[in-house]
Amino acid sequence: MTFAARQPWPGLAAGMQGDAFRFRFALRPARPGWLGVSDGDAAVLERRRALLEERWAMPWTPAADAVWERVETHLEPDLRIVGQGLRTPHERARAVASAWAPDFVLLRSMGDGLRMVGGAVCFPSGWDPLEKLCGTVGFIHGPVPGLNDDLGVRIDRFLGGLQAGDVLERDNWGLAATGRLDLHPDGDVPRIRGEEGADGLWFRLEEQAFVGLGEGMALFLIHVRTWRLDDFISATGCGDAPWRMVASMSAEVATYKGVAPLRERLLRKGLTPT
């Protein structure tokens, strides 16, 4: 796994196969490098350090301390050393968060399933980490239309079965009206109007990893990349797949994903914007 800036690769279009959009929970063995410093983009890390001063970016509860201590045993040496010498788990986690490219969420079993007990989420895709703090995985996914119905049981079973040292990954994609990484709902984020062509939209990729920590604990990692949509289409050869996926979304899913105006335009005038 490399966190450096890179061009889109053809395999990214795999999530757009088929004639209709659907939620996928396609897991694969993780690439090496998720748990180390790697070669993150300097400008992105600088933005992370600024956002970590905001309270919402690093929500924390006392239950997160034990989870972070377990995370530290799994980090690669070049990342683990970042927090050495700091007294509390929260202080060490903040130091690591300033040097680590992906966002992270700490999960701990609290009797009724895994709950978010802390984390560092600088680049959320339209959600507020503070609102999700102490929530179950089902609660966190609650606003996503149909996701719990389609995949909720499978996700819970998977997370409950993670063994210490397991590292698996998946991708999640969306479209945005901006290439900025931080899409916190309280920010002044441009919205898709529905008039844009491929040169006015951005493909937003979340590379996600799940790390088993043992004893009812897990680590969820999210690394965000963005590319202008026309560059993504050209690099991946996916043709009209993004338009087909948006047009086939239910109205509820399109609203949640912020593409409802685009969906309406595609349904009125055909799949490819003029």
Side-chain angles (χ1 to χ4, degrees):
M1 174 64 182
T2 175
F3 299 122
R6 59 183 298 194
Q7 294 301 307
W9 52 98
L12 284 180
M16 296 182 173
Q17 292 176 346
D19 295 327
F21 172 85
R22 67 178 184 275
F23 292 112
R24 302 170 184 264
F25 192 58
L27 290 163
R28 58 183 181 270
R31 293 160 289 179
W34 271 102
L35 299 174
V37 171
S38 189
D39 47 3
D41 184 278
V44 171
L45 292 176
E46 183 61 31
R47 179 61 177 154
R48 287 184 64 79
R49 285 188 281 271
L51 287 168
L52 285 168
E53 298 302 316
E54 302 289 341
R55 178 172 176 264
W56 62 263
M58 194 162 178
W60 202 265
T61 69
D65 288 355
V67 185
W68 184 254
E69 290 172 344
R70 188 61 61 89
V71 168
E72 289 174 319
T73 68
H74 291 268
L75 296 179
E76 295 177 10
D78 64 348
L79 190 55
R80 187 166 62 246
I81 198 173
V82 172
Q84 282 187 353
L86 297 175
R87 185 175 60 85
T88 69
H90 182 264
E91 291 172 333
R92 299 196 298 274
R94 180 181 290 276
V96 169
S98 70
W100 203 7
D103 286 334
F104 61 83
V105 172
L106 306 178
L107 300 169
R108 186 171 184 178
S109 179
M110 307 293 284
D112 57 350
L114 291 171
R115 290 180 175 268
M116 177 182 173
V117 294
V121 185
C122 297
F123 305 133
S125 296
W127 60 288
D128 183 346
L130 271 177
E131 290 184 354
K132 305 300 184 181
L133 190 62
C134 298
T136 63
V137 173
F139 172 78
I140 293 170
H141 288 150
V144 187
L147 180 61
N148 281 330
D149 292 339
D150 292 345
L151 297 175
V153 172
R154 183 178 175 188
I155 292 171
D156 287 343
R157 185 183 302 120
F158 161 72
L159 291 173
L162 269 177
Q163 301 298 307
D166 288 348
V167 187
L168 297 167
E169 67 176 52
R170 66 181 295 271
D171 296 330
N172 187 40
W173 68 271
L175 299 180
T178 175
R180 61 187 267 190
L181 300 179
D182 169 23
L183 299 187
H184 190 283
D186 288 346
D188 185 19
V189 180
R191 308 295 179 184
I192 291 176
R193 304 184 310 275
E195 305 164 357
E196 303 89 346
D199 59 349
L201 294 171
W202 292 76
F203 183 87
R204 184 177 177 91
L205 174 70
E206 289 187 357
E207 297 172 293
Q208 303 175 349
F210 302 86
V211 183
L213 304 175
E215 298 189 18
M217 304 178 193
L219 171 68
F220 178 46
L221 298 168
I222 313 164
H223 181 247
V224 179
R225 303 183 195 267
T226 62
W227 301 279
R228 219 172 68 172
L229 184 57
D230 54 351
D231 292 334
F232 172 84
I233 292 172
S234 176
T236 62
C238 67
D240 67 354
W243 313 125
R244 288 189 291 102
M245 293 296 103
V246 171
S248 66
M249 289 176 184
S250 70
E252 294 78 12
V253 168
T255 297
Y256 167 77
K257 294 181 78 67
V259 297
L262 180 61
R263 173 183 178 271
E264 292 172 6
R265 181 181 179 215
L266 292 171
L267 292 179
R268 285 197 311 267
K269 297 187 175 181
L271 294 183
T272 305
T274 57

